[in-house]
Structure formats: C-alpha cells, structure tokens
Amino acid sequence: MSQTTAVSFHPPAAAIKLPEAATWPLADVLALFELPFNDLMFKAQTVHRAHFPAGDVELATLLSIKTGGCEEDCGYCPQAARYDTGVEAKKILDIDTVIDAAKQAKANGATRFCMGAAWRSPKERDMDKVEEMVREVKALGMETCATLGMLEEGQADRLKNAGLDFYNHNLDTAPEFYNNVISTREYQDRLDTLGRVRSAGLKVCCGGIVGMGESRLQRAGLIAQLANLNPYPESVPVNHLVQVEGTPLHGLDPLDPFEFVRTIAVARITMPQARVRLSAGRRQMGEAVQAMCFLAGANSIFYGDKLLTTDNPEAEDDRALLNKLGLVTRAATLDSAPKAACGG
Ligand code: SAM
Ligand code: DTB
Ligand code: SF4
C-alpha cells in the first residue's frame, strides 16, 4: 500500500484538460518506436509517474452479453458468423445473469464492468435491455462500459442517460492497414461512432490490436490516430491478437514481444493521462512480458477467467502476479485515497 501514499494522484476525470490540437505527427510517433528500448521504457515510466500513482492497476471485468453470430467480417474475430471457429451464436443474456456477474466481479475487486455484444450495431429492441443492464450495474457502484458496435444518432445519449460511463469502440489498426482486416465497415464509420459517443458526454475507450501482420509504421499509425483524437480517449485498450483457428488471421507469424511492449510505451507517452489497458493476449504472453508492459505504463487489465470468448489468465494467477510485482489494484487505491482526488 506504500506505493499509493508516496505519490500524488492525478486529477479527477472531470478536471482533466486533454490536449485540443493534433499534437502527434506520425514521424514523431515512429521516432518513439525507434528509440533504444531502455530509453523508451525510461521515458514511458517517467511520463507514467507524472500522471498516475506508480503501482496502481485498474481491474476491469468483461462479460459477453451477446455472443457469436455476428454479420461483420473482422478478420481477427471468433464471433463472426462467417468463420468456422466453434463459437456458438447465443441470445442476449438475461438481466439477472448480468447483475450476478457484475456483483461477482465487484466482490473480486474489479472497479469497471464492461459489457460486450457481437453486433454490427445494436437494434432498437436491444437498447431497452442494455439500458437496464447499465442502470443495474451502475447501481452496484461500478464504472460501466459497453461495446456494442456502431451507434446511430441518439443511441449514445440513451446509454449515457442510463448511467453508462465509457463506450468502447476500437479503431483496431492504422487506416492504411484497415482494409486488410475488415471490409464490412469503414474506418470513417468508427470515427463517426466515436464522435457520437463524445457528443453524448460519454468517456471514450478506444484502442486497437497489434500482431495482425501490420508493420511498425502501421503500429505507429494506429497510435497517432488515437493520440490525435481531440481529446484523446480516457481508456486505451492495447490488444495483442489472440489467434483463433478458423479466422483469417490464424497462423500468422507471432509478433516480437518487444514490439508489443514498445506499443504500450508509445501509447503511454502520447496519451499521458489515459488508462492504458494491457488487454487481450495476456494468457499467451507470460509474466515477464506483462511485467515489462506495466513498466511501460500499462495500468489496467481485464480481470477474470474469460475475455469475451477466449481465455484470460485465471484471476488467482493475476492476483499472484500483481503481488509479486508490488502492484496495487485500483479498488485498493480508491479505499486508501481521499475520495475527491481519484479520477480516470
Ligand atoms: N462487436 C463490437 C465491435 O466490434 O465494435 C464489440 C465487440 S468486439 C469483439 C470488440 C473488440 O475486441 C474488437 O474491436 C477488437 O479490437 C477486439 N478483439 C476481437 N477479437 C479479438 C482477438 N481475436 N484478439 C484481440 N482482440 C480482439
Ligand atoms: C477490447 O479492446 N478488447 C476486449 C474488449 N475491448 C471488448 C475484447 C477482446 C476480445 C478477445 C477475443 C475474444 O475473447 O473473443
Ligand atoms: Fe462482430 Fe465485433 Fe467481432 Fe467484428 S469484432 S465480427 S463487429 S463481434
């Protein structure tokens, strides 16, 4: 707990003044990627400590509220109906199942609960159900997040009114690589949804996936897109591709783990006040690479045995890892910190 008392806390989310102009030319982002590894890590850790308590890690639990059968063609995704991945299409979960899962997540120490649906976009008949889920999870005192695909006019407002804190919608990759991965929606569609999310007053959770066969320049391109959003996202999930048999991206050569760590570090430096989440792919990563990611400025993980359809590390193993590294969960920092001083 000493890590949490020895450092000053970053300001509450409402008071954060995020940069207003595009401040990260692609060349500058690429130059960060090309630094000697130790220089990059030092820079990232320095930026990290200026904005966050050193050892604080947010635990976010994911629940798939509607699994499989998706009409989109995202090349990485086991939930796309057109790929034979063994994921069965299910109906939307009932509200009690969702509340029970959220209660369990809270009891296990998670502070954020993220509900994911395998939709291109939510249908009107789904919205009432999701709004009720959001209201009930919010009433438990958790931060709420949803990822439901593209939103139309008014849908983001409805979610905000129900008590949603964050909307997750990823850019996934650089614009130049995007068409290698997805054809059923455009990059601009994603930016439009992010605009609606912002206009509704929701906080933005937006990141991408690395390890899909993109180049370093394209990884830099993804980070530049995110960092130049105005303002940049409050949460940035950096996913390592989980290769699932049956998807087009299965069987790619694995990414050099140092490139993944570098991506986290560059996200931290370019988006200093964002929660950078070390997201999918931790199970395949090993403890040493995860530890490097925390050193590079990751301060959030998905916590719980499952992501949406693939396995995440066991919660018990995560607790052991955090303990070994002397990291402190955000639930613990919230308990030990003056309430008004904690945001993000
Ligand atoms: N259907 C909605 C959408 O695509 O916007 C929400 C759920 S979708 C599964 C959320 C995100 O999960 C995707 O944008 C992608 O970044 C990530 N994701 C999906 N499959 C993945 C995989 N195999 N490895 C890593 N990340 C993955
Ligand atoms: C995000 O960026 N990663 C999460 C969450 N947002 C919804 C999803 C990861 C999914 C990994 C593959 C699966 O489990 O289906
Ligand atoms: Fe559907 Fe989302 Fe998977 Fe794409 S990532 S196939 S939209 S569930």
Side-chain angles (χ1 to χ4, degrees):
M1 207 82 22
S2 57
Q3 296 93 323
T4 60
T5 48
V7 292
S8 58
F9 284 86
H10 62 293
I16 290 173
K17 185 91 175 77
L18 299 173
E20 279 169 11
T23 46
W24 285 101
L26 179 59
D28 292 4
V29 179
L30 183 62
L32 288 173
F33 268 91
E34 291 185 342
L35 284 172
F37 188 74
N38 286 352
D39 293 354
L40 177 60
M41 296 293 273
F42 181 69
K43 211 180 198 20
Q45 182 61 204
T46 306
V47 170
H48 186 66
R49 284 176 187 239
H51 295 94
F52 285 96
D56 152 291
V57 174
E58 173 201 65
L59 304 183
T61 293
L62 257 179
L63 178 69
S64 179
I65 60 164
K66 162 67 186 84
T67 302
C70 184
E71 67 208 269
E72 299 288 275
D73 73 349
C74 313
Y76 46 74
C77 187
Q79 303 200 69
R82 66 190 72 200
Y83 310 135
D84 187 9
T85 62
V87 171
E88 256 179 70
K90 302 234 173 76
K91 290 211 179 94
I92 189 166
L93 294 182
D94 63 57
I95 180 80
D96 290 341
T97 308
V98 176
I99 298 169
D100 287 349
K103 282 184 181 159
Q104 191 61 55
K106 186 178 179 187
N108 290 343
T111 51
R112 191 177 299 187
F113 192 69
C114 181
M115 292 161 271
W119 292 324
R120 171 178 166 82
S121 56
K123 309 267 183 311
E124 274 315 291
R125 65 171 183 275
D126 304 317
M127 284 298 291
D128 291 339
K129 288 185 190 160
V130 175
E131 285 170 51
E132 194 186 348
M133 291 173 187
V134 170
R135 263 193 299 276
E136 296 285 343
V137 175
K138 184 75 184 164
L140 300 174
M142 300 190 83
E143 282 183 330
T144 51
C145 180
T147 181
L148 316 170
M150 294 184 286
L151 296 182
E152 285 159 21
E153 288 299 329
Q155 290 182 319
D157 302 293
R158 287 177 63 177
L159 292 168
K160 170 76 182 167
N161 290 337
L164 192 70
D165 296 307
F166 292 83
Y167 193 77
N168 167 245
H169 197 64
N170 291 338
L171 290 177
D172 276 348
T173 191
E176 297 74 22
F177 191 69
Y178 184 85
N179 291 334
N180 296 44
V181 182
I182 299 155
S183 78
T184 48
R185 76 174 85 158
E186 300 298 320
Y187 211 78
Q188 188 58 46
D189 294 327
R190 291 176 185 264
L191 293 168
D192 291 347
T193 289
L194 292 170
R196 289 184 189 120
V197 168
R198 269 279 172 239
S199 305
L202 289 163
K203 287 182 261 190
V204 170
C205 174
C206 181
I209 310 179
V210 293
M212 299 195 292
E214 73 286 341
S215 64
R216 176 180 272 184
L217 178 62
Q218 288 160 339
R219 283 187 282 282
L222 167 66
I223 300 295
Q225 285 289 328
L226 296 168
N228 292 329
L229 289 174
N230 182 14
Y232 60 78
E234 283 82 358
S235 286
V236 179
V238 182
N239 296 278
H240 189 299
L241 174 68
V242 178
Q243 294 198 12
V244 178
E245 213 173 323
T247 59
L249 297 188
H250 181 254
L252 286 177
D253 288 343
L255 180 74
D256 179 344
F258 294 121
E259 274 301 300
F260 186 80
V261 180
R262 281 179 187 273
T263 309
I264 297 266
V266 177
R268 166 53 64 225
I269 294 164
T270 55
M271 294 170 276
Q273 298 188 39
R275 278 268 160 201
V276 175
R277 184 170 310 116
L278 168 54
S279 301
R282 287 197 300 116
R283 204 181 160 98
Q284 293 74 15
M285 217 169 265
E287 291 192 335
V289 175
Q290 290 185 64
M292 277 193 275
C293 290
F294 293 126
L295 196 57
N299 60 353
S300 175
I301 55 172
F302 284 126
Y303 176 67
D305 306 348
K306 260 218 151 41
L307 290 162
L308 292 172
T309 65
T310 63
D311 290 340
N312 202 35
E314 302 288 330
E316 197 185 320
D317 294 344
D318 275 344
R319 284 195 295 272
L321 177 62
L322 296 180
N323 273 335
K324 260 198 269 189
L325 300 177
L327 297 170
V328 185
T329 66
R330 188 160 142 73
T333 62
L334 285 169
D335 281 348
S336 66
K339 290 286 177 255
C342 263

